[in-house]
């Protein structure tokens, strides 16, 4: 069983910074893309940023230039550095990963439990 555990959420003032971390554990053969999604109250979950195994990243337009995604393949971890935070960034942030496990040919999507980020104005 694969688990993703996020950490780093909390309360921050507008203009501030907050780092998020996520680590995958369990019996893992490899991890393909990893990403961060968020869901604000009353809204659908949306992609924030994602990164391939080779390190290519893309971002939602709303966070470009402010957020940076990175990963450490040796640690099965993905990170999100959030700078210049705005109140509209307030949401529950979820980590996701496409995980390949031994004996299963296709990767499966794994999700973390979510971490709340609140940006005050």
């Amino acid at each position: 069983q694969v688990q993703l555990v996020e950490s780093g959420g909390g309360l921050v003032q507008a203009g501030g910074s907050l780092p998020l971390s996520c680590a995958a554990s369990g019996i893992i053969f490899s991890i393909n893309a990893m990403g961060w999604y968020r869901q604000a109250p009353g809204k659908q979950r949306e992609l924030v940023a994602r990164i391939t195994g080779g390190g290519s990243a893309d971002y939602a337009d709303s966070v470009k230039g402010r957020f940076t995604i990175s990963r450490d393949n040796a640690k099965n971890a993905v990170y999100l550095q959030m700078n210049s935070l705005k109140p509209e960034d307030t949401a529950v942030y979820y980590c996701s990963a496409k995980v390949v496990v031994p004996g299963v040919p296709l990767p499966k999507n794994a999700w973390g439990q979510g971490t709340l980020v609140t940006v005050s104005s």
Side-chain angles (χ1 to χ4, degrees):
Q1 185 176 355
V2 176
Q3 286 188 319
L4 299 182
V5 178
E6 300 109 336
S7 60
L11 174 64
V12 64
Q13 286 190 329
S17 298
L18 203 61
L20 300 182
S21 300
C22 171
S25 63
I27 301 175
I28 298 170
F29 181 75
S30 65
I31 300 179
N32 297 341
M34 302 185 81
W36 290 95
Y37 291 72
R38 67 186 181 187
Q39 187 166 18
K43 294 189 176 182
Q44 289 189 330
R45 190 175 298 190
E46 62 176 0
L47 174 68
V48 176
R50 59 189 168 197
I51 185 168
T52 67
S56 296
D58 59 271
Y59 300 88
D61 287 343
S62 59
V63 306
K64 280 181 182 176
R66 300 188 298 122
F67 291 10
T68 301
I69 189 170
S70 61
R71 65 188 285 173
D72 185 332
N73 291 333
K75 296 181 179 180
N76 289 334
V78 63
Y79 310 97
L80 187 69
Q81 178 63 43
M82 304 184 293
N83 299 328
S84 302
L85 282 159
K86 305 175 181 179
E88 51 264 43
D89 294 319
T90 295
V92 177
Y93 284 69
Y94 296 91
C95 167
S96 81
K98 287 190 181 294
V99 181
V100 180
V101 298
V104 180
L106 296 177
K108 58 179 289 185
N109 283 328
W111 291 90
Q113 80 286 356
T115 185
L116 178 62
V117 172
T118 303
V119 184
S120 63
S121 56

